[in-house]
Amino acid sequence: MNAVILTALGVGGATVIGALIGFLFKNPSHRLNDMILSFAAGVMLAAAVIGLIIPSLEQGGKLSILVTVVGIFCGALCLNLIDKLVPHLHKITGMGTEENHPQKTAQLNKVLLFVIAIAIHNLPEGIAAGVSFGSGDMAQAVTVAGGIALQNIPEGMVIIAPMLASGMKRGRTFVIALMTGIVEVLGTFIGYFAVSISSAILPFALAFAGGTMLYVISDEMIPETHSHGSERAATYTLLAGFSVMLIFDFLLG
């Protein structure tokens, strides 16, 4: 249980760390941001496959492949539904720059909507981290949690600039960034206790969590990193992130 608590704080805290970095680098170049986000996407891709989907197959019994595939698609469909209700990350991350000169009130409303979107997307990521501990394999759980935490750092950086550009005070900006991290902490505990109550749902829960991560990578992260002319650099940093997690998993295993 102590490991889960530390993981929840680490996963949620990574967003805060990213926010603090965001205060230092208010307007990082698109190329740098794309490379950081792509590296995180590679890490998450490896974590989803190694730490969630493969364990789901191993624990699913005779119907393992069916349970895993259904779980993956259910996870993806869940986030697809969420995306119909809240804005896409790559549609809003470019706003808030001074060149746009939007009206402050309208701009602030868009920024807050963006932050809500980040918070909602953080919930299933936190659940994925919590579910991974239900497998009983600490190495895999650490792989998943590490991948999600690393992805949260550039995400925390991204939310700072639009809020500051809209005229929001630094203190309030930090509190809002902190709240998005708290959502992920809650998700971690939800995922952990859900599989603790019934181990029978573990194979499906692992695949579901893996599906949510794959959806975020394909629908949000890759389009964002390939939309500013840095596609080649983004591709190689994604491969680097994936490889780092492979090495990390090998050393832990």
Side-chain angles (χ1 to χ4, degrees):
M1 184 61 186
N2 289 337
V4 178
I5 294 174
L6 290 175
T7 297
L9 295 176
V11 169
T15 300
V16 177
I17 292 173
L20 293 174
I21 296 174
F23 282 119
L24 299 176
F25 303 96
K26 296 180 183 179
N27 293 299
S29 67
H30 276 308
R31 181 179 176 82
L32 177 60
N33 187 67
D34 289 345
M35 291 177 67
I36 294 173
L37 200 59
S38 276
F39 185 87
V43 168
M44 284 186 67
L45 180 59
V49 175
I50 297 171
L52 294 169
I53 294 173
I54 292 178
S56 172
L57 284 170
E58 293 173 345
Q59 300 192 35
K62 293 181 180 180
L63 298 176
S64 60
I65 186 64
L66 179 61
V67 171
T68 299
V69 170
V70 171
I72 289 172
F73 275 91
C74 285
L77 288 171
C78 179
L79 280 198
N80 187 207
L81 177 61
I82 290 175
D83 274 339
K84 290 183 180 298
L85 302 176
V86 296
H88 287 257
L89 177 64
H90 56 269
K91 289 183 179 178
I92 306 180
T93 49
M95 74 170 188
T97 57
E98 294 183 5
E99 301 90 34
N100 292 332
H101 294 293
Q103 295 229 337
K104 289 296 181 182
T105 301
Q107 183 181 351
L108 183 58
N109 288 338
K110 290 181 179 179
V111 169
L112 292 178
L113 187 60
F114 167 53
V115 173
I116 291 171
I118 292 290
I120 291 174
H121 281 84
N122 279 353
L123 183 61
E125 289 176 8
I127 291 174
V131 165
S132 65
F133 277 91
S135 66
D137 190 323
M138 287 298 296
Q140 291 176 346
V142 169
T143 297
V144 173
I148 294 172
L150 186 58
Q151 182 264 340
N152 284 344
I153 293 176
E155 189 173 86
M157 293 171 62
V158 163
I159 67 177
I160 293 300
M163 287 193 286
L164 292 178
S166 70
M168 190 179 295
K169 294 182 178 179
R170 294 172 69 90
R172 187 181 180 191
T173 299
F174 179 76
V175 170
I176 292 176
L178 178 63
M179 290 174 65
T180 65
I182 291 175
V183 170
E184 201 140 16
V185 172
L186 294 175
T188 303
F189 285 115
I190 290 172
Y192 174 73
F193 286 116
V195 296
S196 297
I197 293 172
S198 175
S199 59
I201 68 170
L202 179 58
F204 176 83
L206 288 168
F208 183 94
T212 63
M213 291 177 70
L214 291 178
Y215 184 93
V216 169
I217 294 165
S218 178
D219 191 67
E220 302 285 354
M221 300 176 76
I222 291 178
E224 168 64 17
T225 60
H226 284 64
S227 60
H228 308 117
S230 304
E231 296 86 351
R232 188 64 56 85
T235 296
Y236 280 108
T237 48
L238 184 148
L239 293 175
F242 188 88
S243 298
V244 165
M245 289 309 288
L246 282 180
I247 295 169
F248 185 58
D249 182 71
F250 176 78
L251 294 176
L252 287 177

